[in-house]
Amino acid sequence: MDWSKTKTIFILAFLVLNTFLAIQYFNIVITNSRYDVIKEPLIEEQLAAEGITYKKLPEGNETGAYITAESKVFTEEELKSLPAQDVLNLEDKITSLRAEFEKPFTLPETNTQSKLNQIVRENILSGDQYAFWKTDNVKNTIIYIQTYNDRLVFQDLSADQKIGMLTLFLNDKNQLVSYEQTLLENIQDLEGKQDTLPAIKALEALYNKNDLKPNSTVTEVQFGYYTPFPLSGEQILAPTWHIVVNDSEDYYVNALEGQVIRSNEKLE
């Protein structure tokens, strides 16, 4: 027997076998990869398949960081400087100011928002730090909330403690008669800013928690700051996506970590 030829035949046989096994392995990998792509459609496709619609989302990546803030204590000098109004709660260390206008403000039927903004700027302490947020037709109030770096500090209206919020009270003649105010001060970033989750990822977080039901409509998506546990003193707020579903359900998604925070607030 020619062992040299036999050895060569064995080597060739092993090479052919190894080549065959390698081809089979790569075919399996490619097939599985294709299957994974088909199995996991994009979130946009998943939402469309469920009949879930949303307006054009904010583009680009926001940057943000956790922030710290303190509830302002209104001073006696500040209270005395309020124009043509009476403070209703004159006590020490006021963090929630309640005041009544000596003469009600009649709101016009047109350009109402512009007039409201003017009243707030000219008659409310640090009024330029607030922005219009919501109208509560049941309680007959108009709600402004504080801003930081041009971003809203969102509020849970069901919480007992309010922070950075201005509530304007109307009478039955649609006149502005009084208000209640809280204000945050000494606001600063807790750490360096970093990229946050894009808006579509916030919707995906809601979808994965079954908070986006089939055929629902996302009616508003805003980026700002929020805490689910407002305090009367110092607090920490997270950069947050505020998402409104069907004009009545409010959700907050931590824009750094992706946790979903549900809110019970509902306005008519």
Side-chain angles (χ1 to χ4, degrees):
M1 179 179 291
D2 191 336
W3 288 107
S4 178
K5 290 182 179 181
T6 302
K7 181 179 178 182
T8 301
I9 291 172
F10 273 112
I11 291 173
L12 291 174
F14 277 117
L15 286 174
V16 170
L17 178 61
N18 287 339
T19 301
F20 172 77
L21 292 175
I23 292 173
Q24 291 295 104
Y25 172 76
F26 283 114
N27 283 338
I28 292 172
V29 170
I30 292 173
T31 299
N32 286 341
S33 177
R34 289 175 178 169
Y35 176 74
D36 288 341
V37 171
I38 296 173
K39 185 175 63 175
E40 298 181 3
L42 297 173
I43 182 59
E44 293 90 341
E45 296 171 350
Q46 292 176 297
L47 297 178
E50 295 274 9
I52 299 170
T53 59
Y54 50 90
K55 298 178 182 179
K56 184 178 180 180
L57 299 176
E59 297 180 353
N61 282 344
E62 299 282 353
T63 60
Y66 287 94
I67 62 174
T68 59
E70 298 175 358
S71 293
K72 176 177 176 56
V73 177
F74 296 97
T75 66
E76 184 177 352
E77 291 74 19
E78 289 171 329
L79 300 181
K80 289 180 178 179
S81 70
L82 293 172
Q85 50 189 284
D86 299 319
V87 177
L88 302 179
N89 57 332
L90 284 172
E91 67 252 13
D92 293 336
K93 296 184 178 180
I94 298 175
T95 58
S96 181
L97 170 62
R98 291 185 289 114
E100 184 176 65
F101 297 111
E102 293 179 0
K103 182 179 179 181
F105 290 97
T106 300
L107 300 179
E109 294 183 3
T110 59
N111 298 321
T112 306
Q113 187 64 65
S114 177
K115 180 61 176 178
L116 276 170
N117 292 341
Q118 180 186 356
I119 293 172
V120 169
R121 286 195 307 269
E122 296 178 355
N123 296 273
I124 305 297
L125 291 172
S126 302
D128 58 348
Q129 295 188 34
Y130 295 89
F132 172 81
W133 196 35
K134 295 182 178 183
T135 298
D136 189 336
N137 294 322
V138 174
K139 296 180 179 179
N140 208 20
T141 59
I142 299 170
I143 299 170
Y144 276 66
I145 54 179
Q146 197 170 342
T147 61
Y148 173 66
N149 286 342
D150 295 324
R151 298 297 184 185
L152 296 173
V153 178
F154 300 120
Q155 302 286 320
D156 183 349
L157 300 181
S158 65
D160 293 332
Q161 182 68 42
K162 305 297 188 298
I163 58 171
M165 191 170 87
L166 173 66
T167 304
L168 306 173
F169 296 91
L170 304 173
N171 61 17
D172 55 5
K173 298 179 182 179
N174 201 39
Q175 295 176 315
L176 184 59
V177 294
S178 61
Y179 68 89
E180 185 170 353
Q181 177 189 11
T182 56
L183 180 68
L184 295 174
E185 62 179 2
N186 299 327
I187 305 175
Q188 55 186 331
D189 292 347
L190 191 59
E191 54 190 17
K193 290 186 177 181
Q194 54 186 296
D195 287 340
T196 62
L197 297 174
I200 189 62
K201 287 296 183 182
L203 294 188
E204 184 176 18
L206 283 186
Y207 178 76
N208 291 336
K209 288 285 188 179
N210 295 318
D211 289 321
L212 284 181
K213 306 298 182 184
N215 302 314
S216 59
T217 300
V218 176
T219 50
E220 190 171 16
V221 178
Q222 295 174 295
F223 182 82
Y225 297 89
Y226 179 74
T227 174
F229 307 108
L231 305 172
S232 59
E234 186 175 357
Q235 48 228 311
I236 298 176
L237 301 94
T240 302
W241 286 107
H242 173 223
I243 300 170
V244 182
V245 181
N246 297 328
D247 282 323
S248 61
E249 303 166 28
D250 288 81
Y251 298 94
Y252 298 92
V253 178
N254 185 306
L256 290 178
E257 301 177 19
Q259 298 102 327
V260 176
I261 305 168
R262 296 167 180 81
S263 172
N264 295 322
E265 64 185 65
K266 290 187 179 180
L267 297 183
E268 298 298 328

